[in-house]
């Protein structure tokens, strides 16, 4: 009888202040998702996963626990982020890139922050494998961040995933002050004529993803799944004979996997894993990565203006971060606020889409070099 | 240089190698896009669509 009673109160007696802090964090994530609409599809499952994982003696985690199983099967194997890429590829229209390939240069420029963050992370004492994963936060690309974290630093996966999705959701708050600090009002008022460019043939749209797989795969075979699944999704979208698969990838697949991914990440956010100085460092470096990335895009756009006759509005460079479509919208909104006749949306969105591709290229490059350095 | 922690040296290597490689790959994709536009102009597709 007394043993039964002891078992019944075991959970309550094992409760610590750390659990309560994690409940607060989980509840805050749910609140931000519901009330502020900050990445609700991910923050709500992460919040619930966090709550379940931080109930003392929780059956949701540990040997045979569903959240731990999801983490082991879907995240540590890199399966979930890869499957999300099929959906992302199916959502991406690479037409603006093919029509105006120069925008890729701006997309690439916004990835410079990754390398600055890797260096900053090592200066703060993070080992190189963790620093590489932290640097990828500069892509503002959740699935790529999780993919690289699973490869190199699964022990800091939870704070990395949380930082990636939180800062992506906070793009409208993070980007404007950096843009204002690095551009003059006259620069923000630069108008860009949208010329549209040539129509893109179906053949070109079909050959492009195949060539991207070949090129990126040859450069970094280890990252072939990352590019391959993204381009598979894009091919399903463009080929015209797999509409059902394309729609499923854009809706059911990405929704289900996002739910499972969120729960798995939430499940890994136990007090002992998450309430560390390391997590705080990751969150701070994630913010720095976003700042570096935004600044990189703007600075390169300004440098390009020095050699171009047709000026680029430097704000468009900031849209090269992968947070889609928030980054593009923020830039267009800021341009409109400066000059009610300045419509930058098409330019900003083209650069924003190029950022999607460039962030993956940057991820592939970092994976390849880090693997070589680590000798694995 | 001797005082630099090993990880910082490796991070600098990643940046020194990674940046030019990344821009080269993106440059290759830009070139690829231009080549595809020339090889597969929109009119050609429209013509084959009629068959």
């Amino acid at each position: 009888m007394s043993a039964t009673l002891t078992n019944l109160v075991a959970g309550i007696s094992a409760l610590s202040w750390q659990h309560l802090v994690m409940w607060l964090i989980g509840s805050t994530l749910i609140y931000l998702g519901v009330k502020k609409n900050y990445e609700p599809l991910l923050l709500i499952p992460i919040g619930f996963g966090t709550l379940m994982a931080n109930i003392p003696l929780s059956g949701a985690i540990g040997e045979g626990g569903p959240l731990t199983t999801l983490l082991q099967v879907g995240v540590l194997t890199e399966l979930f982020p890869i499957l999300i890429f099929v959906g992302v590829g199916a959502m991406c229209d690479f037409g603006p890139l093919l029509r105006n390939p120069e925008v890729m240069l701006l997309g690439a420029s916004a990835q410079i922050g990754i390398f600055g963050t890797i260096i900053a992370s090592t200066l703060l004492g993070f080992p190189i494998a963790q620093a590489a994963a932290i640097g990828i936060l500069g892509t503002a690309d959740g699935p790529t961040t999780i993919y690289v974290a699973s490869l190199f630093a699964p022990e800091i996966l939870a704070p990395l995933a949380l930082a990636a999705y939180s800062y992506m959701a906070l793009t409208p708050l993070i980007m404007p002050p950096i843009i204002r600090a690095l551009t003059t009002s006259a620069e923000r008022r630069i108008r860009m004529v949208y010329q549209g460019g040539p129509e893109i043939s179906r053949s070109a749209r079909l050959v492009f993803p195949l060539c991207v797989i070949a090129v990126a795969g040859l450069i970094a075979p280890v990252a072939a799944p990352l590019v391959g699944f993204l381009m598979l999704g894009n091919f399903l979208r463009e080929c015209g004979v797999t509409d059902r698969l394309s729609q499923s990838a854009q809706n059911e697949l990405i929704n289900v996997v996002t739910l499972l991914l969120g729960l798995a990440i939430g499940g890994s956010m136990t007090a002992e894993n998450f309430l560390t100085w390391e997590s705080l460092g990751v969150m701070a470096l994630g913010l720095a990565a976003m700042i570096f990335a935004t600044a990189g895009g703007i600075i390169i756009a300004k440098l390009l203006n020095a050699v171009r006759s047709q000026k680029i509005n430097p704000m468009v460079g900031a849209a090269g971060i992968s947070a889609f479509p928030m980054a593009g919208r923020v830039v267009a909104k800021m341009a409109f606020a400066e000059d009610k006749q300045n419509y930058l949306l098409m330019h900003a969105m083209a650069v924003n889409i190029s950022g999607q591709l460039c962030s993956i290229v940057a991820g592939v490059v970092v994976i390849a070099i880090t693997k070589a350095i680590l000798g694995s | 240089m001797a005082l630099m922690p090993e990880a910082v040296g490796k991070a600098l290597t990643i940046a020194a190698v990674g940046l030019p490689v990344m821009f080269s790959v993106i440059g290759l994709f830009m070139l690829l896009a231009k080549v595809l536009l020339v090889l597969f102009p929109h009119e050609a597709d429209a013509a084959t669509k009629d068959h």
Side-chain angles (χ1 to χ4, degrees):
Chain A
M1 183 70 178
S2 102
T4 310
L5 280 175
T6 308
N7 277 342
L8 278 176
V9 296
I12 299 168
S13 55
L15 189 67
S16 67
W17 68 266
Q18 287 96 336
H19 290 120
L20 295 176
V21 171
M22 291 312 295
W23 287 4
L24 187 68
I25 292 173
S27 307
T28 307
L29 295 177
I30 295 169
Y31 170 81
L32 290 174
V34 175
K35 286 295 279 185
K36 303 282 180 184
N37 208 24
Y38 289 166
E39 298 284 335
L41 298 181
L42 211 88
L43 290 195
I44 291 172
I46 291 180
F48 267 88
T50 307
L51 291 180
M52 285 189 268
N54 288 285
I55 290 171
L57 313 174
S58 172
I61 55 169
E63 186 73 35
L67 297 182
T68 304
T69 305
L70 282 177
L71 186 76
Q72 287 167 343
V73 172
V75 182
L76 299 181
T77 58
E78 299 126 35
L79 187 65
F80 287 166
I82 289 290
L83 288 174
I84 285 182
F85 272 116
V86 181
V88 173
M91 288 178 184
C92 277
D93 175 10
F94 289 135
L97 304 193
L98 293 166
R99 204 170 284 132
N100 186 12
E102 287 78 18
V103 296
M104 284 192 242
L105 199 57
L106 292 172
S109 306
Q111 313 308 323
I112 291 173
I114 294 169
F115 300 97
T117 311
I118 293 175
I119 296 168
S121 304
T122 54
L123 285 170
L124 286 180
F126 283 94
I128 193 66
Q130 290 186 354
I134 295 169
I136 296 295
L137 286 170
T139 61
D141 181 340
T144 306
T145 304
I146 293 168
Y147 184 82
V148 178
S150 314
L151 270 178
F152 295 133
E155 66 281 4
I156 53 166
L157 177 70
L160 278 170
L162 192 65
Y165 284 101
S166 310
Y167 294 140
M168 239 159 72
L170 293 173
T171 301
L173 298 179
I174 296 171
M175 280 176 68
I178 305 160
I179 292 174
R180 276 192 213 100
L182 293 176
T183 55
T184 62
S185 178
E187 284 173 328
R188 293 195 291 274
R189 283 200 301 269
I190 292 175
R191 292 183 185 181
M192 294 171 71
V193 182
Y194 187 71
Q195 287 158 337
E199 278 297 313
I200 307 300
S201 68
R202 185 165 163 248
S203 307
R205 286 176 182 270
L206 292 182
V207 175
F208 183 69
L210 298 175
C211 292
V212 169
I213 292 177
V215 172
L218 286 173
I219 291 167
V222 67
L226 193 71
V227 181
F229 278 64
L230 178 86
M231 291 302 154
L232 163 68
N234 188 251
F235 195 89
L236 293 176
R237 171 199 175 95
E238 300 293 355
C239 71
V241 292
T242 53
D243 280 351
R244 279 170 52 192
L245 287 180
S246 171
Q247 287 304 319
S248 297
Q250 290 180 48
N251 297 290
E252 290 85 354
L253 178 68
I254 203 165
N255 288 342
V256 170
V257 178
T258 301
L259 173 69
L260 299 179
L261 180 68
L263 282 170
I265 291 167
S268 71
M269 285 173 59
T270 54
E272 57 270 30
N273 279 347
F274 195 78
L275 294 180
T276 61
W277 288 111
E278 203 175 46
S279 297
L280 207 61
V282 169
M283 297 299 285
L285 282 164
L287 183 60
M290 282 282 284
I291 294 170
F292 288 157
T294 307
I298 295 169
I299 291 165
I300 297 291
K302 289 174 95 159
L303 289 176
L304 285 174
N305 275 347
V307 293
R308 281 174 64 107
S309 55
Q310 212 173 11
K311 300 294 179 202
I312 303 168
N313 187 315
M315 287 199 295
V316 165
I321 65 168
S322 182
F324 183 83
M326 292 85 84
R329 280 190 195 147
V330 167
V331 167
K333 211 170 151 186
M334 286 185 76
F336 188 72
E338 289 283 338
D339 171 3
K340 300 285 183 238
Q341 299 295 313
N342 199 1
Y343 300 102
L344 278 189
L345 189 63
M346 297 302 276
H347 296 282
M349 283 304 178
V351 175
N352 203 182
I353 292 169
S354 84
Q356 297 262 301
L357 182 62
C358 294
S359 69
I360 290 168
V361 171
V364 165
V365 169
V366 169
I367 289 170
I369 301 172
T370 309
K371 276 249 172 195
I373 284 177
L374 292 174
S376 55
Chain B
M1 192 71 183
L3 290 173
M4 187 189 293
E6 193 190 347
V8 180
K10 286 176 178 172
L12 288 170
T13 307
I14 292 177
V17 179
L19 273 169
V21 171
M22 181 185 75
F23 275 101
S24 305
V25 175
I26 296 297
L28 212 58
F29 288 163
M30 286 165 65
L31 193 66
L32 172 69
K34 284 186 185 292
V35 170
L36 289 178
L37 287 183
V38 174
L39 287 179
F40 305 107
H42 188 249
E43 295 74 26
D45 262 19
T48 51
K49 216 175 176 180
D50 293 338
H51 291 289

